[in-house]
Each structure stands twice: as structure tokens, then as C-alpha cells.
Amino acid sequence: MYLNGYKARPLFDPAIVKPAIIESFKKLNPAHMWKNPVMFVTEAGAAVTTVDLFFASGSHGFVLQISLWLWFTVLFANFAEAMAEGRGKAQADTLRKSRTKSVARKFMPDGSLQTVPAESLRKGDLFIVEANELIAADGEIIEGAASVNESAITGESAPVIREAGGDRSAVTGGTTVLSDQIKVRRHRESG
């Protein structure tokens, strides 16, 4: 399935879930948990109730339930954080791959257009992008206006209008032009 021109990953993609499970246990390290005080206190409570199971007299049922719920809360929070990190890394990898595979129609010194690999574009180079094409590199629109799908960068599904001049002239490599045509000047070397 494709969403906004990119292959959509399933919610529980095994390539992300398996490392996230392992990472959720690694994140139990108090040095990591200290960065999130609420979860650090929850983990401390889980540890105290677990120790209490071995030293308390009487019924252990209630303390066991509290201990299990606290450990579940900490592990679930770590798992959710690891999943978000994994999905972000996967999305960044997909974007990086699309940028290295893309091409640009670059204006040559004689005014002609030549198709070149996106990575060969240098600061100041001019290139043109039309509807349904990937923007090959970060730059600034110097001519035209277009609707641009930036969901690969921002996650926002609604397209944005980018046009020459003003505050909305910057475009990001790896995003897709949905309508019209724009002329872009590359404004930095790598990215």
C-alpha cells in the first residue's frame, strides 16, 4: 500500500517491532530512565514493590499486581518510545534512499535542460520540477508556484503551497510537487 507516494509500513512492522522489544528492555537502565522523571519514579516504584514481594509477610497478591502493573507501564512506555524511534529511522532511511535515487532536470549554462543525478547538484544550480516529480535537493523557488506534498518530512498529509518570493519559497529535497511547475535554485551543498 502506498500513502502520499511512499510505501506505508504496517503499524506493527516486524522489522521495527523486534528491535523495539529488545530496546525497551535496554531502556530500563536507570541512567536512561532518569531523562524522563515520571517513568523513573514509576520504575523505582516497580523495583520497590518487587523487592517487597520477597520480604513482606502475609498476602502477596495485591503487591504482586501492583508490581506487575508498574513493570508493564515502564516496559510499555519504553516500547512505545522505541517504536517511535524505529519508525522515524525507517522513514528517514526511505527518504534518504529516494533522494539518492532521484534525478533533476538541471539548467545548463547554454540554457538547455539536462537530466543529472540529484547528488551532482551544487549550490546555485538551477533545476526545474513539474507535477508528480520529486524535488531533487533543498532550494528556493525562483519562478513559479506549486502544491507540494511534504508528508515525508513533516508527517502532515495536507499539501502546502510553495511559491517564488516571500516566506513560502523554500523547498526540501525528497518532497513531491503535486501540481504545476517550479524553477528551483539549490541553496546548500549537502542534506
Side-chain angles (χ1 to χ4, degrees):
M1 172 170 55
Y2 288 86
L3 179 64
N4 298 324
Y6 295 91
K7 185 175 180 185
R9 291 182 173 272
L11 181 60
F12 293 105
D13 184 350
I16 296 173
V17 171
K18 289 175 186 175
I21 290 171
I22 294 167
E23 196 63 28
S24 64
F25 283 96
K26 287 181 182 177
K27 289 176 182 275
L28 289 174
N29 180 344
H32 174 79
M33 294 301 288
W34 182 252
K35 296 173 187 172
N36 184 342
V38 172
M39 292 314 299
F40 179 76
V41 169
T42 306
E43 182 180 36
V48 167
T49 57
T50 301
V51 169
D52 191 40
L53 282 172
F54 297 105
F55 297 107
S57 59
S59 175
H60 295 304
F62 179 72
V63 176
L64 176 64
Q65 285 181 353
I66 296 299
S67 182
L68 289 175
W69 278 112
L70 289 172
W71 282 117
F72 173 77
T73 301
V74 171
L75 284 170
F76 182 77
N78 288 348
F79 176 73
E81 180 181 0
M83 282 289 290
E85 289 169 356
R87 291 183 73 76
K89 287 176 185 174
Q91 191 172 10
D93 288 343
T94 300
L95 182 58
R96 247 189 310 280
K97 287 176 187 173
S98 74
R99 288 179 76 174
T100 58
K101 293 178 185 176
S102 63
V103 294
R105 288 183 295 136
K106 176 182 169 183
F107 282 94
M108 302 310 287
D110 64 2
S112 66
L113 284 173
Q114 182 178 352
T115 301
V116 298
E119 58 271 10
S120 73
L121 290 172
R122 299 291 171 243
K123 184 177 180 177
D125 284 349
L126 299 176
F127 60 97
I128 195 161
V129 188
E130 293 182 347
N132 300 315
E133 291 181 350
L134 207 62
I135 298 174
D138 295 350
E140 186 168 337
I141 300 173
I142 60 168
E143 188 178 300
S147 175
V148 179
N149 177 355
E150 295 182 344
S151 64
I153 304 292
T154 64
E156 176 62 44
S157 60
V160 295
I161 302 298
R162 298 288 182 209
E163 58 188 348
D167 296 344
R168 308 294 287 167
S169 63
V171 291
T172 305
T175 58
T176 306
V177 172
L178 299 176
S179 67
D180 304 308
Q181 173 180 293
I182 53 176
K183 189 177 192 179
V184 179
R185 174 178 286 122
R186 173 82 188 243
H187 63 68
R188 61 187 179 124
E189 282 300 323
S190 63

